[in-house]
Amino acid sequence: MEVQCHPHRYRSILRGSDSPAIHGDIPLEKLYDQLCAGVFLNNRTEKYSVDKESQKNCFMMYARGFTIACSDKRSCWKWVTEEDESSNGVLVEMAELLKKRRLDALGKFEVSNLSRDTTYKVVFVIKLTQSGYGWEDPVNFGVTFPDGTKEERKVNLKEKPKGEWIEIKAGEVSTSECKEGQMEVFMFERGGHWKSGLVFKGVLIRPDN
């Protein structure tokens, strides 16, 4: 296979790979198909892949790598292990909200791992169960950039379909303007209603094609 260019910082990113077999100095030509399929990082809390068409870096941040308020309380959250269809059925952990008034989830990502001169979409991947309730108030989804500025939007989950994975755009990041530092992605709702039935898979960071 002819590889037109080297994916941005791929060797540095692969140092966090869960597979010892690709930690070494392996030629890119031998790694490329695996990079396109996706490589799990940091105990399956992230997945790194390369878009075959654009050869841009893509990432999935799984729920287990987020700070989720009260996720250690069994009365509030349940950690479920399910097959990730985008990863050939590999098992990953997802967080299911059982009962809680306040929803708070925060994740951090190093912007320098994104490909240069590219606009990325930041997208939450969630599912609402059929028995879910309490979503009368809109949920805030957003991104805080390394310079402290924010992009944020409110989404009414009551209008979303139940029982299937849906994508909620939190914002966009342009690596022409934002080249390094940590950005934060967040989801919260702090109203007074008891809430249940949201399954949080993670956040996709992918080129806006």
Side-chain angles (χ1 to χ4, degrees):
M1 173 186 296
E2 181 181 354
V3 181
Q4 297 176 357
C5 62
H6 285 198
H8 178 66
R9 295 196 72 203
Y10 78 98
R11 291 201 183 279
S12 175
I13 295 167
L14 289 178
R15 291 189 190 122
S17 168
D18 292 344
S19 173
I22 61 174
H23 283 184
D25 190 20
I26 302 173
L28 178 60
E29 291 74 13
K30 294 184 178 180
L31 276 176
Y32 193 70
D33 285 342
Q34 191 168 356
L35 293 182
C36 292
V39 175
F40 284 97
L41 309 174
N42 305 316
N43 296 317
R44 294 188 187 174
T45 59
E46 288 186 43
K47 186 175 69 173
Y48 165 54
S49 61
V50 175
D51 179 73
K52 215 164 199 174
E53 184 175 341
S54 66
Q55 297 192 2
K56 303 281 189 180
N57 289 347
C58 308
F59 291 88
M60 176 71 174
M61 303 167 61
Y62 289 101
R64 183 51 91 174
F66 278 69
T67 300
I68 303 174
C70 297
S71 63
D72 58 339
K73 294 185 178 180
R74 295 183 179 180
S75 61
C76 299
W77 290 89
K78 176 173 69 173
W79 286 97
V80 294
T81 303
E82 295 185 13
E83 290 186 354
D84 182 11
E85 293 180 0
S86 65
S87 303
N88 296 320
V90 174
L91 296 176
V92 295
E93 285 188 287
M94 307 174 192
E96 180 177 349
L97 180 62
L98 298 180
K99 188 177 180 181
K100 201 172 183 297
R101 289 186 189 270
R102 293 164 64 98
L103 171 69
D104 273 290
L106 176 71
K108 298 182 179 182
F109 184 83
E110 177 53 54
V111 174
S112 63
N113 287 331
L114 300 177
S115 299
R116 291 288 180 243
D117 302 320
T118 304
T119 298
Y120 279 85
K121 283 185 179 180
V122 181
V123 179
F124 276 78
V125 182
I126 63 172
K127 179 166 60 177
L128 299 168
T129 66
Q130 296 293 346
S131 59
Y133 59 83
W135 302 104
E136 286 81 2
D137 297 320
V139 176
N140 296 270
F141 296 88
V143 182
T144 303
F145 302 102
D147 65 359
T149 59
K150 290 185 180 181
E151 184 176 349
E152 185 175 343
R153 64 198 67 209
K154 295 180 181 291
V155 178
N156 186 350
L157 296 186
K158 285 190 72 174
E159 299 175 349
K160 300 299 181 182
K162 291 187 174 183
E164 61 185 66
W165 292 111
I166 57 176
E167 296 186 354
I168 307 290
K169 181 180 175 182
E172 292 185 352
V173 56
S174 169
T175 56
S176 299
E177 303 169 1
C178 184
K179 294 182 171 62
E180 60 184 17
Q182 279 196 332
M183 69 176 184
E184 298 180 344
V185 292
F186 58 85
M187 167 178 64
F188 71 86
E189 199 282 290
R190 296 162 187 164
H193 298 287
W194 287 103
K195 289 173 280 293
S196 178
L198 181 144
V199 184
F200 175 37
K201 181 177 181 180
V203 170
L204 278 167
I205 306 174
R206 65 187 181 205
D208 184 4
N209 296 326

